[in-house]
Amino acid sequence: MINRILSILFILFSILITAQENNVKALVGGTLIDGFGSDPIKNSVVIIKGEKIVSVGNIENTIIPSNAEIISTEGMTVLPGLWDMHVHTKLTGHSDYGYWDKVYQPLWKDVIMPASVHQLLMAGVTSARDLGAPLEESIAVRDAVNNGEIPGATLYVSGPFIQHKPYPGTENSRWGVNSPEDGRRKVKKLATAGVDVIKLIDHDQMTMDELRAVVDEAHKNNLKVVAHSHRPEEIRRGLEVGVDCFEHTGLSSAPRYPDDVMTMIKERTADMSQGPLFWCPTVEVLYNFEYNRDNLEFIDDDSWHLGLPDSVIVDIKNSVQHPDRLPYFQLMPSRKPTLETKINQLLDAGVVLMIGTDSGIPMKFHSQSTWHELDVWVNEFGIDPMYAIRGATYWPALWMGVADEVGTITPGKYADIIAVKGDVLRYISLLQDVDMVIKHGKRYK
């Protein structure tokens, strides 16, 4: 009996191995942007075996295995799966934070967050940094994606924000710090739970000892620290204590970053012993507000319905029918003129910009946010398209410490690859409708 069971197991194992060996795909004919920034490869060939890329070249120098599934990418741009370095999967564009937190929190783990990661994936976002959600839910959804239980972008999660004092009713998603010792305890708890990054907000309201304790404890646990940069003092303090990445360009209508802040930034970027200084400006939500306010057709794009119950979809639609009345957006028109100036200040200072969108906040749908940010960078601010694409591929993977696994189309790395019809270096907005999505070798679209 035991010998029979062993024989059956051997046969099943052999079938599994054979299936894996035959799981070969060849992407043939497209123009390949590999993520490193050099000239694209024309008539490219990418060979995928199982989850990994095994070879990259063109039709003249690459042998296509006889057992490969040929996938034509003629007339398409092939590029690494996109990253969005600032998303909120617990949010889905609803305009009333307080109502959303109160009514839908019971649905976050099993409905809302799975829908968000699936929408991101179908938009070509194969990896995302989720910055601010309850700890248990963040870990559960991240692990469900990684274990193949639900389809979605690979998540790197912070769990709850760390700040001086949580806003009333948000204690699950925001942890207050009332002493250096408390700060260390909170970070240790997050590290033990397995978060991928620590997220700071309102840290200009902490004492410097509290702030140093949080950042120091994070670094001791090999966790990088992401910090808000809405206010100049948040930037000053963040630079002083060694924050690893800053978020946003500020919610004020001040036209420029103060001179002393820019001096500190330039001193930091001049010290290359610390590596690059990274920043996610998240400008699109501010830049496009007036257009979206006056042109609500973007709500009719049903890509953001994926995975959501009809009742939730209707509730979200109703919440954003009158954007001009939303307190969240009242200062947006006065902020818009500051954005390009601040972007240029950061670029001139040598900061490395990465694509992050604040996806999920009011009027920002996970199926649309990432390409909107890329579009504003390129078509409104004149940023080089290749720089923008690297800010959504190579640099995020490097920042997260997984550049040996993803971020570029390179032999030995996971096959996280997307393709669109046309030339994205000329028409970046083509990314609004990604034609093919492959993640870890599996084709999802």
Side-chain angles (χ1 to χ4, degrees):
M1 185 66 174
I2 293 176
N3 288 336
R4 185 180 177 188
I5 293 173
L6 290 174
S7 297
I8 293 172
L9 289 174
F10 178 77
I11 292 170
L12 291 173
F13 181 73
S14 298
I15 292 172
L16 178 62
I17 293 298
T18 301
Q20 289 177 338
E21 289 176 348
N22 291 335
N23 186 15
V24 180
K25 299 180 180 71
L27 311 183
V28 182
T31 298
L32 174 67
I33 297 172
D34 63 10
F36 287 106
S38 55
D39 288 340
I41 300 172
K42 307 295 185 180
N43 299 312
S44 66
V45 175
V46 180
I47 307 298
I48 302 166
K49 186 174 182 180
E51 296 185 330
K52 300 289 185 73
I53 300 164
V54 294
S55 63
V56 178
N58 59 43
I59 57 176
E60 296 179 352
N61 61 20
T62 305
I63 297 174
I64 300 174
S66 59
N67 64 336
E69 174 193 359
I70 307 297
I71 301 172
S72 175
T73 54
E74 292 284 351
M76 305 176 82
T77 303
V78 179
L79 61 160
L82 302 176
W83 286 63
D84 193 320
M85 291 293 274
H86 194 129
V87 305
H88 296 286
T89 62
K90 72 170 189 175
L91 305 174
T92 55
H94 199 285
S95 71
D96 188 333
Y97 279 135
Y99 171 88
W100 183 263
D101 286 353
K102 182 178 179 180
V103 172
Y104 290 110
Q105 190 162 173
L107 297 182
W108 285 351
K109 183 172 76 171
D110 296 322
V111 178
I112 303 299
M113 295 170 76
S116 297
V117 295
H118 195 185
Q119 290 176 22
L120 285 165
L121 179 64
M122 299 308 286
V125 178
T126 55
S127 300
R129 200 172 59 176
D130 193 3
L131 298 178
L135 180 57
E136 178 186 347
E137 288 86 339
S138 296
I139 298 295
V141 174
R142 180 198 66 186
D143 291 353
V145 171
N146 291 344
N147 295 334
E149 298 166 17
I150 60 173
T154 299
L155 284 186
Y156 299 89
V157 303
S158 69
F161 297 91
I162 296 294
Q163 60 189 104
H164 173 62
K165 187 177 181 180
Y167 312 150
T170 66
E171 289 80 5
N172 270 356
S173 299
R174 298 172 181 272
W175 289 1
V177 169
N178 56 35
S179 70
E181 294 74 24
D182 186 44
R184 290 187 183 277
R185 279 194 300 271
K186 297 284 172 54
V187 172
K188 285 179 182 177
K189 185 174 182 178
L190 292 172
T192 301
V195 302
D196 304 290
V197 63
I198 299 298
K199 170 71 180 295
L200 280 167
I201 183 174
D202 295 345
H203 47 282
D204 54 349
Q205 297 172 21
M206 293 181 178
T207 69
M208 285 303 296
D209 286 342
E210 290 169 347
L211 181 56
R212 284 194 183 93
V214 168
V215 175
D216 180 63
E217 192 62 38
H219 290 164
K220 282 183 179 179
N221 285 274
N222 296 315
L223 294 173
K224 291 182 178 178
V225 179
V226 177
H228 265 216
S229 61
H230 281 312
R231 297 182 290 274
E233 189 61 17
E234 287 181 305
I235 303 173
R236 295 184 186 101
R237 292 186 174 204
L239 289 167
E240 186 173 338
V241 299
V243 157
D244 302 287
C245 185
F246 290 91
E247 307 298 300
H248 312 302
T249 47
L251 292 177
S252 76
S253 54
R256 304 174 58 85
Y257 291 118
D259 291 343
D260 71 298
V261 168
M262 291 310 304
T263 297
M264 292 182 72
I265 291 173
K266 291 173 183 177
E267 288 175 353
R268 168 61 181 81
T269 57
D271 181 5
M272 283 306 297
S273 67
Q274 300 183 58
L277 176 61
F278 292 91
W279 210 292
C280 292
T282 69
V283 290
E284 183 274 329
V285 64
L286 305 175
Y287 192 87
N288 280 339
F289 166 68
E290 290 174 288
Y291 178 84
N292 289 334
R293 178 196 65 195
D294 301 331
N295 299 273
L296 292 177
E297 285 79 8
F298 74 97
I299 299 173
D300 297 331
D301 175 1
D302 64 3
S303 59
W304 63 269
H305 297 185
L306 180 66
L308 296 175
D310 289 344
S311 59
V312 177
I313 293 168
V314 171
D315 196 357
I316 294 169
K317 280 186 175 181
N318 290 337
S319 79
V320 295
Q321 285 303 308
H322 299 284
D324 56 315
R325 302 177 188 176
L326 301 178
Y328 186 87
F329 291 114
Q330 291 307 307
L331 275 177
M332 292 295 184
S334 61
R335 293 168 183 158
K336 181 177 177 178
T338 75
L339 299 175
E340 186 172 2
T341 298
K342 290 176 178 177
I343 285 279
N344 286 329
Q345 282 184 285
L346 295 173
L347 287 171
D348 290 344
V351 171
V352 174
L353 302 183
M354 296 189 294
I355 291 291
T357 63
D358 233 355
S359 189
I361 67 171
M363 294 172 58
K364 298 311 305 171
F365 301 128
H366 298 294
S367 61
Q368 303 172 359
S369 296
T370 311
W371 84 262
H372 280 159
E373 184 81 8
L374 284 157
D375 181 64
V376 169
W377 280 30
V378 173
N379 290 322
E380 302 298 333
F381 296 166
I383 292 175
D384 178 71
M386 188 67 83
Y387 180 102
I389 289 170
R390 295 188 80 212
T393 55
Y394 172 81
W395 288 117
L398 186 72
W399 191 94
M400 279 306 317
V402 293
D404 58 339
E405 299 178 358
V406 288
T408 59
I409 298 177
T410 313
K413 296 186 181 182
Y414 286 110
D416 285 7
I417 300 171
I418 65 173
V420 295
K421 294 174 184 176
D423 182 358
V424 299
L425 293 180
R426 183 168 184 180
Y427 304 108
I428 198 74
S429 61
L430 290 171
L431 289 168
Q432 69 184 286
D433 188 14
V434 175
D435 294 281
M436 184 181 72
V437 178
I438 293 174
K439 183 191 162 196
H440 282 32
K442 180 178 179 180
R443 185 154 44 145
Y444 287 87
K445 187 178 181 182

